[in-house]
Amino acid sequence: METLSFILFICLFFALVPLLFKTSLSHPLPFSSQSATFHQPQSAELNSHSIMAHFSNSVKLKYVKLGYQYLVNHITTLILIPLILGIFIELLHLGPDEFHKLWNSLHLHPVQIVCSSFLIIMIFTVYFMSKPRTVFLVDYACFEPPVTCRVPFATFMEHSRLILKNNPKSVEFQMRILERSGLGEETCLPPAIHYIPPKPTMEAARGEAQLVIFSAMESLFRKTGLKPKDIDILIVNCSLFSPTPSLSAMVINKYKLRSNIKSFNLSGMGCSAGLISIDLARDLLQTHPNSNAVVVSTEIITPNYYQGNERAMLLPNCLFRMGGAAILLSNRKSESTRAKYRLVHVVRTHKGSDDKAFRCVFEEEDKEGKVGISLSKDLMAIAGEALKSNITTMGPLVLPASEQLLFLFTLIGRKIFNPRWKPYIPDFKQAFEHFCIHAGGRAVIDELQKNLQLSAEHVEASRMTLHRFGNTSSSSLWYELNYIESKGRMKRGDRVWQIAFGSGFKCNSAVWKCNRSIETPFDGPWSDCIHRYPVHIPEIVKL
């Protein structure tokens, strides 16, 4: 047993020394982030000073942090492997006689062995049967707007001048918003908005819904080989257009889906309704085995184009554009080999109990009786609070132990020692390789990039989606995911974090894990333009 004790001592030594070393580094010392070296205060003893200076110059902070992360994140493995080796070595020293004595000392009766085996088998059976079913994302398809629906800046501003000819200040306001919006020249609006004045009739709105939803569904059928009769669950989300019969009924009628299909139509839930639909589909797939679920996420622009003069309501006109996506989810084991992703987590945060949050995105009439979506000036602050609540729940689910420990130590330090200590912001780049931030606007992407300390590449998909397609509401996350795939960046095992905000006010997140390395798609919304991206987006585009 001396060998085993020695091995355990060595394991504990190597486990604790780096932690103590890390703690010593956390003491207040002058530190230059550019040089990434430590600088000790001046000392009276020159010899000691030179030794410490040499030591500080030889240690790179990034390597210390990497070592700390590796140690903490793999502490179980680093302890168990030597422990198992020590036990194995001790067993090798035992002879046949000692093995026989050890077995006899246990006094095991055959009945006890059978009962114990049965109990173990039963426990494992209950465990595996109680595990939630794995939900796979087999594939998805995004709507590609026709070229005839394109709205360059010049066209948009010309229409604004003609529609708001009696209020030039509103035209100037829209111009300033468009200059700073981050949108490009290829975004699209539905045909009814191209008229002067626009014709937001019910017929035109249904026509846009049929164009967007049926195009995405047809593309999904082609990509997956799915037949309409194979759909067991159908969920359609569209926030502002909710006709009767519903949009889900429209899909059922078009494709003659089965009479026992479980269909749902979600409305009024804002830009984050796509992830709410994913969460609903996951819950249904947990209940119904061997099933396929199709989620359709879109926003119909036609009936919601504001023609008044209220600035808070003119803002959505400058940002929202046509878009939609159809997603195939399944819990069938046969789909595991060809599925692109596996759903890991969905976290939903609702701030509707707060009056300011409830009214920050509000559909109402202006003084002239014209209906529009009013965006509050407090929107970004409310979104920040919702995001903080969401990542507080998400963090323990996805962050490695090293980040959770640093956050915990900082929190304790602020509470007990010094409230002025800067709060530690967890490094979510340790948990995810890709980020899909809802392309709600330039300010939204900027704020999340700053708060989560993300690089330009991490938010590239969001910025380019906003530039190419505009704010397509709940479907924007799927255009972003397709951008990452079209760039050939999605590899097996990669983790994706989708973040979306919505009226109410809501912040919802979904975490996916890539099942296989994704080949660059030859079709899709980016197929004709991915070679041009990423593009430089200036702070202000002069119109």
Side-chain angles (χ1 to χ4, degrees):
M1 296 300 293
E2 292 79 7
T3 306
L4 180 59
S5 302
F6 177 75
I7 292 176
L8 286 174
F9 173 78
I10 294 296
C11 293
L12 289 172
F13 177 81
F14 281 105
L16 292 174
V17 167
L19 286 175
L20 294 172
F21 180 63
K22 176 64 181 179
T23 305
S24 68
L25 293 181
S26 64
H27 287 228
L29 293 174
F31 173 73
S32 171
S33 60
Q34 293 180 352
S35 62
T37 56
F38 295 94
H39 301 280
Q40 295 282 6
Q42 291 184 355
S43 174
E45 297 180 10
L46 181 62
N47 191 29
S48 174
H49 173 75
S50 62
I51 293 173
M52 291 306 297
H54 175 73
F55 172 76
S56 63
N57 289 330
S58 66
V59 177
K60 298 289 185 181
L61 178 64
K62 65 177 182 178
Y63 295 123
V64 173
K65 187 172 183 180
L66 285 174
Y68 161 75
Q69 290 170 349
Y70 186 85
L71 173 69
V72 174
N73 295 339
H74 300 84
I75 189 69
T76 305
T77 305
L78 293 174
I79 290 177
L80 282 180
I81 289 180
L83 182 62
I84 293 170
L85 286 174
I87 295 172
F88 181 72
I89 292 171
E90 287 295 325
L91 290 175
L92 288 178
H93 291 163
L94 296 177
D97 294 337
E98 289 159 321
F99 265 119
H100 186 68
K101 289 179 182 178
L102 181 62
W103 177 260
N104 291 334
S105 65
L106 296 176
H107 302 292
L108 293 177
H109 193 274
V111 176
Q112 293 177 319
I113 297 174
V114 172
C115 292
S116 301
S117 302
F118 177 77
L119 181 62
I120 293 171
I121 293 171
M122 187 177 69
I123 291 172
F124 273 97
T125 303
V126 171
Y127 171 74
F128 284 110
M129 289 183 66
S130 62
K131 283 185 65 178
R133 292 187 177 93
T134 304
V135 175
F136 298 104
L137 192 163
V138 180
D139 212 335
Y140 64 96
C142 297
F143 168 69
E144 300 177 56
V147 179
T148 53
C149 293
R150 192 167 67 91
V151 185
F153 293 153
T155 302
F156 184 90
M157 292 312 305
E158 181 185 3
H159 283 211
S160 295
R161 293 188 187 96
L162 293 172
I163 295 169
L164 303 172
K165 57 185 176 183
N166 296 325
N167 198 327
K169 289 187 177 179
S170 295
V171 176
E172 292 176 7
F173 172 75
Q174 284 189 301
M175 181 179 292
R176 290 198 302 272
I177 293 298
L178 203 62
E179 287 175 341
R180 296 165 172 80
S181 65
L183 271 68
E185 297 272 10
E186 298 180 79
T187 61
C188 294
L189 284 172
I193 307 301
H194 288 257
Y195 288 96
I196 302 175
K199 296 182 178 180
T201 63
M202 176 62 76
E203 182 182 3
R206 285 188 185 275
E208 182 193 349
Q210 291 170 355
L211 173 64
V212 174
I213 294 175
F214 294 164
S215 297
M217 290 288 290
E218 294 289 347
S219 181
L220 183 68
F221 289 149
R222 286 195 304 271
K223 293 177 73 172
T224 62
L226 183 72
K227 304 296 181 185
K229 64 180 178 60
D230 297 329
I231 302 176
D232 304 289
I233 300 165
L234 174 67
I235 303 171
V236 179
N237 70 265
C238 179
S239 185
L240 296 173
F241 181 57
S242 183
T244 299
S246 66
L247 295 176
S248 59
M250 182 184 76
V251 175
I252 292 171
N253 176 259
K254 166 70 174 179
Y255 296 105
K256 310 304 177 189
L257 302 184
R258 302 197 321 256
S259 60
N260 65 341
I261 190 169
K262 297 162 185 64
S263 66
F264 301 84
N265 197 94
L266 306 183
S267 63
M269 305 196 80
C271 299
S272 67
L275 296 185
I276 296 174
S277 299
I278 295 295
D279 189 34
L280 175 58
R282 179 190 63 172
D283 292 344
L284 291 167
L285 288 171
Q286 294 302 323
T287 307
H288 303 282
N290 201 36
S291 298
N292 290 323
V294 171
V295 172
V296 179
S297 295
T298 187
E299 191 60 76
I300 304 306
I301 308 297
T302 297
N304 304 297
Y305 189 85
Y306 178 65
Q307 300 181 57
N309 297 310
E310 291 289 335
R311 293 190 175 185
M313 296 182 178
L314 285 169
L315 188 58
N317 288 357
C318 302
L319 298 176
F320 282 89
R321 296 294 187 266
M322 291 179 75
I327 305 100
L328 173 59
L329 303 173
S330 181
N331 58 14
R332 297 181 176 179
K333 292 184 179 179
S334 58
E335 299 288 6
S336 61
T337 54
R338 68 164 182 156
K340 284 187 172 181
Y341 303 94
R342 175 174 59 86
L343 183 59
V344 182
H345 300 292
V346 178
V347 174
R348 294 168 56 180
T349 303
H350 207 303
K351 292 289 186 177
S353 59
D354 179 75
D355 291 340
K356 283 188 176 181
F358 175 71
R359 294 190 64 89
C360 70
V361 181
F362 206 79
E363 186 177 17
E364 58 185 349
E365 294 176 334
D366 64 7
K367 296 175 182 178
E368 299 175 358
K370 295 178 180 178
V371 179
I373 306 297
S374 176
L375 302 181
S376 167
K377 61 182 180 181
D378 300 322
L379 178 60
M380 290 310 303
I382 292 167
E385 287 298 314
L387 174 67
K388 185 163 67 174
S389 299
N390 191 269
I391 64 177
T392 300
T393 307
M394 176 66 76
L397 298 176
V398 299
L399 285 172
S402 57
E403 290 299 306
Q404 296 192 46
L405 279 176
L406 286 175
F407 179 79
L408 177 63
F409 291 156
T410 307
L411 184 65
I412 294 173
R414 294 184 70 205
K415 293 289 185 182
I416 298 176
F417 301 108
N418 189 353
R420 296 181 181 179
W421 282 3
K422 290 181 64 177
Y424 180 75
I425 300 174
D427 185 5
F428 280 91
K429 298 185 292 294
Q430 297 290 326
F432 305 106
E433 285 74 33
H434 308 286
F435 296 80
C436 294
I437 300 168
H438 167 53
R442 191 173 202 159
V444 175
I445 301 171
D446 289 344
E447 195 68 19
L448 264 73
Q449 180 180 7
K450 182 179 72 173
N451 289 338
L452 297 177
Q453 299 178 349
L454 303 179
S455 67
E457 185 175 344
H458 286 126
V459 297
E460 181 183 312
S462 301
R463 293 195 188 281
M464 298 307 111
T465 295
L466 181 65
H467 181 271
R468 173 63 181 84
F469 297 101
N471 180 353
T472 62
S473 190
S474 58
S475 64
S476 67
L477 298 174
W478 304 105
Y479 288 92
E480 295 167 22
L481 188 61
N482 194 258
Y483 178 89
I484 297 170
E485 292 180 4
S486 298
K487 281 293 183 180
R489 297 173 182 171
M490 192 64 70
K491 307 300 180 186
R492 181 179 180 180
D494 283 2
R495 297 154 297 179
V496 186
W497 187 12
Q498 292 181 322
I499 318 169
F501 300 93
S503 58
F505 188 84
K506 300 180 285 292
C507 177
N508 299 323
S509 296
V511 178
W512 304 89
K513 189 168 185 178
C514 186
N515 269 0
R516 54 185 173 83
S517 296
I518 309 297
E519 296 181 1
T520 305
F522 60 88
D523 58 354
W526 295 97
S527 58
D528 61 341
C529 61
I530 191 64
H531 60 281
R532 294 190 274 113
Y533 283 89
V535 297
H536 172 66
I537 304 175
E539 290 293 325
I540 299 177
V541 178
K542 285 297 180 182
L543 302 182

